[in-house]
């Protein structure tokens, strides 16, 4: 009987030590309502700015400068790329693609 009382007392002490909620945890507003509304969640992201940046990037991809298109064509063709390392992309493009061959 004595051991049963001691074990019960120890169980109550263990339960009190592990289940104790401090005042600090009660101060948090998340304790009562863990979710925040959509407006507060998205305050740090400006949707218009982000969409505008994506749109500008897509426009820039479609309308590339002529020298950038020439450089990309030269990068895709390995001999032109090797030539460009020694003489530059403008000279390499002119050497490989400047004169059009028609048959």
């Amino acid at each position: 009987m004595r051991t049963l009382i001691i074990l019960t007392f120890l169980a109550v002490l263990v339960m009190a030590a592990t289940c104790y909620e401090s005042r600090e945890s009660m101060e948090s507003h998340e304790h009562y309502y863990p979710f925040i509304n959509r407006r507060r969640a998205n305050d740090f992201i400006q949707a218009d700015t982000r969409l505008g940046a994506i749109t500008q990037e897509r426009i820039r991809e479609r309308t590339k400068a002529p020298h950038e298109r020439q450089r990309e064509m030269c990068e895709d063709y390995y001999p032109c790329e090797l030539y460009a390392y020694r003489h530059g992309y403008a000279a390499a493009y002119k050497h490989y693609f400047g004169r059009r061959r028609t048959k």
Side-chain angles (χ1 to χ4, degrees), residues 70-71 74 78-96:
Q70 291 173 358
R71 183 179 179 132
C74 194
Y78 187 68
C80 182
E81 188 176 13
L82 290 178
Y83 192 87
Y85 285 139
R86 299 191 108 212
H87 304 286
Y89 279 102
Y93 181 81
K94 194 180 295 182
H95 178 75
Y96 283 98

Side-chain angles (χ1 to χ4, degrees), residues 21-34:
E21 287 200 26
S22 67
R23 185 173 53 91
E24 293 172 356
S25 67
M26 297 301 281
E27 287 176 358
S28 173
H29 298 290
E30 294 174 358
H31 177 72
Y32 300 111
Y33 189 68

